[in-house]
Amino acid sequence: MSHQQEDDADYMANEYDMEAIDDDMDDEFHGRDVGGSDSDADDYDYTNNKMQDTSAAEARRGRDIQGIPWERLSITREKYRQTRLEQYKNYENIPQSGEASEKVCLATKKEVSYYDFRRNSRSVKSTILHFQLRNLVWATSKHDVYLMSHFSVIHWSSLTCSKSEVLNVSGHVAPCEKHPGSLLEGFTQTQVSTLTVRDNLLVAGGFQGELICKYVDRPGVCFCSRTTYDDNAITNAVEIYNTSSGALHFIASNNDSGVRDFDMEKFQLSKHFRFPWPVNHASLSPDGKLIAIVGDNPEGLLVDSRNAKVVSPLSGHIDYSFASAWHPDGLTFATGNQDKTCRVWDIRNLSKSVVALKGNLGAIRSIRYTSDGRFMAMAEPADFVHVFDVKNGYEQEQEIDFFGEISGLSFSPDTESLFVGVWDRTYGSLLEFGRRHNYSYLDTII
């Protein structure tokens, strides 16, 4: 991933300022005219100091799911969407990669809905720090979500619509437990680049190679480690998994070209693999035998998890990749790339991808499968999440359309909920969707 700070800063200023496209949108989105009666004041409840959320019932009555007052703007939602599609700048390491990839992508049917809008929670702000890393939202149940909000890891309960701080990294963080492989002095002012939560274990990775581990069901931090002291040290991705014996481990992908496996039973590094280029994401197959490796190279790798021996190269993408995920059957996996495509691969024939799926605005920066394998979701940098019907060969998709940068997405383990983090100065929030079932009477309780 990119680590030239000046280039990153310039790009972030261009990409994230979605309001700059239209001055009228800027006035409304940022309340410059809040003194008038037609301001956004009704979107803010001064009695409880909380942004108004949008419920499913309100959305059915016509309210914008993000609470954007289109009826008071001088531009329609449709016109602004078209402007975004025309002017959004996709970050590329290989020039024109997005245009070059379009001709190989599958044409999908989009008039379907697998997950219905349930709620937009504006009182919980989902934020990001690096424009290429978007794995900062994790659901551990259909009601429980963990996400980054500035320097805090926040737990959000969609059941009670309440939030609580789980970890604050703005100051000094040090482990309260002593383990041989732990950095007892801890860290100060950690900039969190990636986050994951599973089986009560939370792991946050930082810009300087920091790894902070905490069990969410007990106080304090249990383990701290620095993967490397290299200048190019950012932790790009972390994945928690269980070994065949049930032991809890996690894999950290790093910009120093390393992939490290940590044993959380022994609290120590168990494996360290090196690759020819910075690794942006690594994901382990369900049987634990293979790892999909993607990074700062158009070609990915499928490697043996025991020794990192290359099983097969993955050729097809034409830019750098930042996402990967395995289907629960262990036979197929997906990779997401800055060429605006997600490719699906079959381990029984890796000479080419099974299918290529296209985004609208930019890179595919996050991919998730449901635990039953029925659906796959992929997130672009902003505005669009695509949910594909895996069972029917990815030929049909639900396109979830909104405005704002995407900090991450996550299905709940039971597949019933889908959460999407939205980063925006005014309309930052957490979007929640519920899996559609053919039981219409249940809609009355939403």
Side-chain angles (χ1 to χ4, degrees):
M1 52 153 283
S2 174
H3 62 278
Q4 296 174 336
Q5 297 299 323
E6 291 183 4
D7 291 345
D8 287 2
D10 291 343
Y11 173 72
M12 290 172 74
N14 291 330
E15 184 185 26
Y16 294 164
D17 193 11
M18 61 174 275
E19 304 81 4
I21 296 174
D22 187 278
D23 291 339
D24 294 324
M25 288 292 286
D26 191 68
D27 291 343
E28 285 286 352
F29 272 45
H30 298 291
R32 291 179 182 173
D33 300 322
V34 294
S37 60
D38 291 333
S39 74
D40 283 351
D42 62 333
D43 281 334
Y44 194 87
D45 185 345
Y46 289 97
T47 61
N48 62 13
N49 198 37
K50 177 182 177 182
M51 288 285 192
Q52 280 192 359
D53 296 344
T54 304
S55 67
E58 289 171 323
R60 285 195 292 267
R61 292 195 296 267
R63 179 179 169 89
D64 181 86
I65 64 171
Q66 294 180 273
I68 301 173
W70 296 104
E71 69 280 2
R72 299 205 303 271
L73 299 178
S74 61
I75 186 171
T76 65
R77 189 187 195 283
E78 293 73 21
K79 177 62 177 176
Y80 188 61
R81 166 53 64 217
Q82 186 59 38
T83 301
R84 287 278 280 175
L85 289 169
E86 292 172 356
Q87 298 187 14
Y88 188 90
K89 179 184 176 184
N90 179 42
Y91 187 89
E92 300 172 333
N93 288 97
I94 309 297
Q96 306 302 313
S97 63
E99 288 71 17
S101 65
E102 287 188 12
K103 58 184 179 182
V104 301
C105 292
L106 178 70
T108 59
K109 298 177 182 178
K110 297 184 179 182
E111 302 302 318
V112 292
S113 181
Y114 306 122
Y115 282 80
D116 293 324
F117 173 75
R118 191 180 283 164
R119 190 175 191 85
N120 182 47
S121 302
R122 291 175 64 185
S123 54
V124 55
K125 299 292 186 182
S126 178
T127 60
I128 59 177
L129 282 179
H130 195 287
F131 70 95
Q132 290 172 304
L133 304 178
R134 307 300 183 91
N135 290 299
L136 295 168
V137 175
W138 293 90
T140 56
S141 81
K142 62 183 177 183
H143 300 303
D144 297 287
V145 193
Y146 295 84
L147 52 89
M148 286 304 304
S149 183
H150 304 292
F151 278 94
S152 295
V153 179
I154 298 295
H155 168 255
W156 170 257
S157 170
S158 64
L159 190 63
T160 62
C161 292
S162 61
K163 62 182 177 180
S164 58
E165 185 179 71
V166 178
L167 177 66
N168 188 312
V169 296
S170 63
H172 182 240
V173 174
C176 61
E177 304 174 16
K178 292 184 178 181
H179 301 287
S182 189
L183 195 65
L184 298 180
E185 60 266 34
F187 306 109
T188 301
Q189 294 184 332
T190 305
Q191 293 179 293
V192 175
S193 52
T194 189
L195 176 76
T196 186
V197 186
R198 177 180 165 183
D199 293 345
N200 285 323
L201 176 64
L202 180 155
V203 183
F207 273 59
Q208 302 301 319
E210 303 99 330
L211 290 169
I212 301 172
C213 304
K214 173 183 173 57
Y215 284 98
V216 297
D217 58 345
R218 59 191 198 225
V221 168
C222 64
F223 180 78
C224 288
S225 178
R226 190 183 293 276
T227 56
T228 177
Y229 287 90
D230 288 0
D231 291 337
N232 193 10
I234 191 167
T235 307
N236 292 325
V238 178
E239 180 177 284
I240 299 171
Y241 73 97
N242 293 100
T243 65
S244 57
S245 65
L248 196 62
H249 282 232
F250 70 85
I251 295 176
S253 305
N254 198 275
N255 229 42
D256 71 345
S257 304
V259 171
R260 296 165 175 84
D261 187 299
F262 287 84
D263 182 343
M264 291 307 291
E265 306 296 316
K266 299 178 181 178
F267 292 95
Q268 62 184 25
L269 178 67
S270 61
K271 296 176 185 176
H272 181 192
F273 302 138
R274 297 182 184 275
F275 295 92
W277 24 260
V279 178
N280 296 326
H281 203 278
S283 52
L284 187 72
S285 63
D287 64 7
K289 295 180 179 180
L290 299 169
I291 309 176
I293 305 288
V294 297
D296 285 6
N297 193 295
E299 187 174 84
L301 298 171
L302 188 65
V303 304
D304 190 311
S305 64
R306 297 168 300 179
N307 51 26
K309 181 179 179 181
V310 176
V311 174
S312 176
L314 307 172
S315 301
H317 285 301
I318 53 179
D319 208 318
Y320 296 174
S321 292
F322 283 80
S324 64
W326 283 84
H327 188 278
D329 66 9
L331 297 176
T332 59
F333 62 96
T335 55
N337 193 274
Q338 290 183 158
D339 64 10
K340 297 185 184 180
T341 72
C342 168
R343 287 180 178 265
V344 180
W345 311 82
D346 191 316
I347 64 172
R348 294 163 294 189
N349 181 8
L350 291 164
S351 59
K352 63 177 183 178
S353 58
V354 175
V355 66
L357 307 167
K358 186 176 82 70
N360 296 324
L361 281 181
I364 307 306
R365 299 209 177 275
S366 188
I367 302 171
R368 301 284 183 268
Y369 280 96
T370 53
S371 60
D372 62 1
R374 176 64 192 274
F375 301 110
M376 183 198 79
M378 69 181 198
E380 300 186 45
D383 293 18
F384 292 101
V385 168
H386 308 262
V387 182
F388 293 90
D389 185 344
V390 177
K391 185 178 179 181
N392 291 313
Y394 300 86
E395 293 182 357
Q396 298 183 60
E397 67 161 295
Q398 174 185 0
E399 188 175 85
I400 300 174
D401 178 340
F402 51 93
F403 294 98
E405 298 292 318
I406 299 170
S407 62
L409 79 161
S410 181
F411 288 110
S412 60
D414 64 1
T415 80
E416 288 300 309
S417 297
L418 169 63
F419 295 93
V420 180
V422 181
W423 185 82
D424 181 74
R425 285 183 292 171
T426 300
Y427 288 94
S429 65
L430 185 69
L431 289 166
E432 179 186 354
F433 300 84
R435 187 161 176 173
R436 171 171 285 194
H437 297 286
N438 295 321
Y439 308 115
S440 58
Y441 65 90
L442 290 177
D443 289 343
T444 59
I445 67 173
I446 298 178

